[in-house]
Amino acid sequence: MKLHILLLLQFTAFVSSLYIPVVKSSHKDEIALAFNSNVGTFPSDLSFFHGLIQQFFRLGATVKEEDNIRLADFETWVVEQKKVSFQGILNNIGGVSEFLNVSEVSKGAVIASPSKNKPNYFYQWVRDAALTIKSLIYHIDDNKFENVDDIKSVIEAYIENNYYLQRLDNNSGKFDDQDKAGLGEPKFNANNTAFTDNWGRPQRDGPGLRAITVLSYLSLLEKWDKKVSNEFLQSPEFIYNEIVKPDLIYIIKNWFKEGFDLWEEVNSHHYYTSITQLTAIKDGLALAQKIEKDPDFIRKLKVTFSNLKQFIEVDSGYKNPALPYIVETPSLLRSGKRTGLDAGSLLGSLHSHNMEFGDYSDIPFDVTDDHLINTLSAMVADMKYRYPLNHNKIGFEKGVGVALGRYPEDIYDGYGTSEGNPWFISTASASEIIFKFLYDLKNRKLDIIINNQNKDFFQQFIDFDKIPSTDIVTVPANEYTDAIVIRYGSQTYKTLALNLASYSDSFLEIIKDHVDNHGRMSEQFNKYHGFMQGARDLTWSYSAVWNAFRWRQKTLDILDQF
Ligand code: NOJ
Ligand code: NOJ
């Protein structure tokens, strides 16, 4: 890097360390608008300067002190940011959003971001939409289905809209193809026409993610004894036959084929795709056993479940005997192009274990799985050094969260390619995983087993030499070699749980540091100076952060009961 750039860099770091982010003004909205419309008008190779410009606007911006979400204490921020995040999802859905024009964005269409250029994310991605609608479903459940009619109709509009998307001919194929190839199309225009530019297609995670979301909505209706209100959709039977079943057929016919990954870059087999497909088959089978008329279809679901599971656990290489973590794309490890470490593995685990909706123990790589925990800890270990903004966390004895990106070798900067950065969805997922881990321990009253596989992770939170023998469960010598089993409910157990909860919060604190003064989130934040970049108001960022808050609350509610 040239000297003057370096100097500029240091200068920026210096300025941002001095800078106090509040300037009082009554023009907050105009300036916010100017700020927003400036995002994205800079060429991709200037993303660094882009950050500087953002900084400039921040210096001049303009939120009353009491409205500045970043100045709130952590607990207040969590409450406020949760609301902003929920609203951030709704703002990007056609028919509900006050900002989107219905002639441009179909009712029930979820756009990835309102950004129309540099980058243009003004599209409906099947993945982003399915994942973010799931947050709305959780919201309904958390509210015991009370006063949620508006959200219910948004979810049903999303489901109806997907009926139309499924049947659109597109560059991946057609709905009526023998193997339903059209369902592998990753994205559509906001107005429900096909997107026809070159793209990384097909992406085979879409149908499974959509099926998981729609099925979880159907199980919610059943749980709270509610009916479908949307006239077009009529009934759970219609939704199953016309929308869910085609997606299940797609998985049955295509799971073993290569496709593009969730980051839309590599045509191969991917852990994220496989594990979410497996869950879709499991959830699909549960409903099919109640309403499917064709026994042969049930048989096909069962066969697919067991073949795909075998593929995931053995044949694919997602689990590699030489590595402690999940390998997201084994072909890239084999060709020496990548380590295999990837936030897609963290997301895959979260998106395939709907813990509170049922028993997911037959789906591998849940939050208590050693490979999953080791994936998280290897990501943290790598990115602590990789991203300069994390360097102040080097040398901490206790575990502390750092900003996480997609994968070590990433070069997508949110506009084009230069250098990869931390992402909100990755950082939030780390927090969610640890909260879910704690929740699961409590729920199943599990002892904590520390073994050779996971001890590097746990040693950040507990001093093994100081554990009182009464807190340790004695196990038959041959059962766990070299394992320390910490007794459920013991003092050591409680201390460990508390330390893990604050570890989890430390990832959220990073998010707090990088949202804007209103709590808005784009896709990434710059690895040097920390200012946001990439598509603004990314629906998925809002959803991922909202989900982490939700698991935080669920876990804190039970933490004192250990
Ligand atoms: C856009 C994709 O959405 C993103 O995931 C990818 O990294 C870049 N294209 C690569 O250019
Ligand atoms: C790029 C991400 O890599 C991809 O996962 C996402 O679907 C799109 N952006 C839209 O947000």
Side-chain angles (χ1 to χ4, degrees):
M1 193 182 300
K2 295 218 183 79
L3 183 66
H4 64 271
I5 308 239
L6 259 176
L7 283 174
L8 194 60
L9 231 159
Q10 284 181 354
F11 172 73
T12 327
F14 174 69
V15 173
S16 48
S17 67
L18 288 181
Y19 138 73
I20 302 160
V22 180
V23 178
K24 294 191 180 179
S25 154
S26 52
H27 302 299
K28 112 182 168 199
D29 290 330
E30 290 94 296
I31 307 226
L33 218 72
F35 165 78
N36 271 338
S37 56
N38 265 285
V39 173
T41 54
F42 291 88
S44 57
D45 51 336
L46 290 181
S47 68
F48 173 76
F49 294 97
H50 192 136
L52 283 184
I53 303 293
Q54 282 203 22
Q55 172 139 321
F56 171 79
F57 275 94
R58 275 265 283 271
L59 281 167
T62 63
V63 174
K64 283 198 226 117
E65 191 160 341
E66 63 270 25
D67 294 341
N68 184 340
I69 202 168
R70 301 170 77 247
L71 291 183
D73 63 77
F74 182 70
E75 294 296 337
T76 313
W77 172 74
V78 168
V79 174
E80 293 306 313
Q81 185 69 53
K82 193 171 181 210
K83 292 184 209 152
V84 172
S85 303
F86 197 74
Q87 191 56 44
I89 300 173
L90 296 179
N91 287 349
N92 289 347
I93 305 180
V96 231
S97 169
E98 288 173 22
F99 307 100
L100 300 175
N101 187 332
V102 201
S103 66
E104 264 187 325
V105 185
S106 304
K107 190 167 176 226
V110 183
I111 52 159
S113 149
S115 174
K116 288 186 173 166
N117 55 55
K118 294 192 174 83
N120 184 358
Y121 272 39
F122 202 76
Y123 297 100
Q124 334 181 37
W125 266 267
V126 176
R127 170 181 41 260
D128 297 42
L131 293 174
T132 54
I133 291 293
K134 200 131 163 250
S135 297
L136 306 188
I137 294 172
Y138 290 137
H139 169 87
I140 291 194
D141 197 33
D142 293 351
N143 284 281
K144 304 188 167 47
F145 234 116
E146 282 163 17
N147 303 321
V148 289
D149 286 356
D150 48 345
I151 304 298
K152 182 176 193 266
S153 70
V154 176
I155 296 167
E156 293 186 359
Y158 156 81
I159 299 176
E160 175 178 348
N161 189 55
N162 272 272
Y163 173 93
Y164 307 124
L165 294 183
Q166 285 177 317
R167 286 156 180 81
L168 268 185
D169 290 358
N170 60 64
N171 289 14
S172 294
K174 291 184 182 357
F175 181 72
D176 291 328
D177 285 348
Q178 261 236 313
D179 53 3
K180 297 226 164 292
L183 297 180
E185 181 68 0
K187 72 188 239 196
F188 295 88
N189 294 324
N191 66 359
N192 278 8
T193 54
F195 165 75
T196 51
D197 292 358
N198 284 339
W199 205 250
R201 60 165 70 84
Q203 293 175 23
R204 304 193 191 278
D205 58 341
L209 294 174
R210 176 167 50 211
I212 292 172
T213 293
V214 175
L215 286 162
S216 71
Y217 181 65
L218 294 179
S219 75
L220 192 75
L221 291 180
E222 198 189 332
K223 174 174 171 188
W224 296 102
D225 197 18
K226 300 285 175 187
K227 296 213 155 29
V228 175
S229 323
N230 177 305
E231 276 177 23
F232 174 79
L233 295 177
Q234 307 162 32
S235 65
E237 286 71 21
F238 178 89
I239 295 175
Y240 167 78
N241 283 312
E242 301 299 323
I243 298 167
V244 174
K245 192 170 174 184
D247 282 340
L248 298 175
I249 296 174
Y250 181 85
I251 300 174
I252 292 172
K253 300 207 171 202
N254 296 285
W255 66 265
F256 47 87
K257 298 180 193 162
E258 297 188 331
F260 281 81
D261 61 323
L262 82 162
W263 309 132
E264 317 187 291
E265 297 169 331
V266 180
N267 191 25
S268 187
H269 287 118
H270 311 281
Y271 167 79
Y272 180 85
T273 305
S274 301
I275 197 80
T276 51
Q277 286 175 336
L278 186 68
T279 295
I281 295 290
K282 173 189 162 77
D283 291 349
L285 185 57
L287 184 62
Q289 277 166 332
K290 292 182 198 156
I291 59 178
E292 174 61 52
K293 306 235 161 59
D294 173 9
D296 192 47
F297 187 64
I298 295 190
R299 189 190 57 79
K300 283 185 182 140
L301 287 171
K302 288 184 177 162
V303 171
T304 301
F305 185 85
S306 84
N307 290 345
L308 178 50
K309 190 168 171 179
Q310 158 82 15
F311 177 71
I312 291 171
E313 291 188 313
V314 186
D315 308 331
S316 58
Y318 300 143
K319 218 168 170 172
N320 180 320
L323 293 169
Y325 54 79
I326 298 167
V327 177
E328 214 285 335
T329 304
S331 65
L332 292 175
L333 178 75
R334 287 194 288 270
S335 62
K337 292 196 180 119
R338 286 196 200 168
T339 55
L341 263 185
D342 198 309
S345 304
L346 307 179
L347 293 162
S349 171
L350 290 175
H351 300 164
S352 58
H353 297 86
N354 218 351
M355 200 187 282
E356 73 270 54
F357 278 74
D359 176 9
Y360 281 78
S361 53
D362 53 347
I363 306 284
F365 302 111
D366 199 355
V367 285
T368 47
D369 177 88
D370 287 342
H371 274 71
L372 197 261
I373 291 293
N374 289 332
T375 305
L376 175 59
S377 83
M379 289 278 290
V380 169
D382 178 280
M383 289 169 181
K384 192 191 287 182
Y385 293 90
R386 184 173 299 280
Y387 301 141
L389 126 161
N390 288 330
H391 287 178
N392 59 350
K393 306 282 170 58
I394 295 173
F396 275 51
E397 251 176 56
K398 279 266 165 68
V400 61
V402 302
L404 297 182
R406 297 194 296 184
Y407 53 91
E409 305 82 356
D410 196 4
I411 54 166
Y412 176 57
D413 60 22
Y415 311 102
T417 48
S418 64
E419 297 182 302
N421 294 298
W423 282 46
F424 286 103
I425 60 170
S426 308
T427 311
S429 299
S431 169
E432 187 179 345
I433 282 175
I434 306 294
F435 282 129
K436 248 180 134 177
F437 172 87
L438 287 168
Y439 187 90
D440 195 30
L441 290 182
K442 168 74 180 68
N443 217 14
R444 298 199 283 147
K445 298 194 169 19
L446 297 176
D447 296 332
I448 298 176
I449 302 165
I450 300 176
N451 55 26
N452 276 334
Q453 292 289 309
N454 62 23
K455 71 171 189 296
D456 285 350
F457 175 74
F458 286 107
Q459 74 184 10
Q460 308 174 87
F461 307 102
I462 193 165
D463 187 344
F464 298 150
D465 300 332
K466 294 199 180 132
I467 307 177
S469 56
T470 45
D471 289 1
I472 295 180
V473 183
T474 325
V475 286
N478 56 352
E479 200 160 307
Y480 305 104
T481 355
D482 292 332
I484 305 174
V485 180
I486 301 178
R487 187 187 304 283
Y488 175 82
S490 66
Q491 194 50 48
T492 305
Y493 197 98
K494 288 179 186 158
T495 310
L496 184 54
L498 284 176
N499 289 345
L500 284 169
S502 58
Y503 181 58
S504 201
D505 271 352
S506 66
F507 289 97
L508 296 177
E509 274 157 21
I510 293 169
I511 289 169
K512 177 172 188 276
D513 283 345
H514 295 97
V515 299
D516 80 0
N517 297 344
H518 302 272
R520 286 186 293 230
M521 282 178 270
S522 59
E523 181 184 71
Q524 328 185 352
F525 42 103
N526 185 282
K527 69 171 178 176
Y528 298 106
H529 52 63
F531 282 92
M532 289 193 278
Q533 64 189 58
R536 71 180 167 95
D537 290 304
L538 190 79
T539 325
W540 192 358
S541 295
Y542 289 123
S543 162
V545 170
W546 188 90
N547 291 348
F549 290 146
R550 176 170 180 271
W551 275 104
R552 177 178 195 267
Q553 193 54 51
K554 286 169 83 71
T555 305
L556 295 189
D557 287 347
I558 56 162
L559 203 60
D560 56 354
Q561 298 163 22
F562 273 110

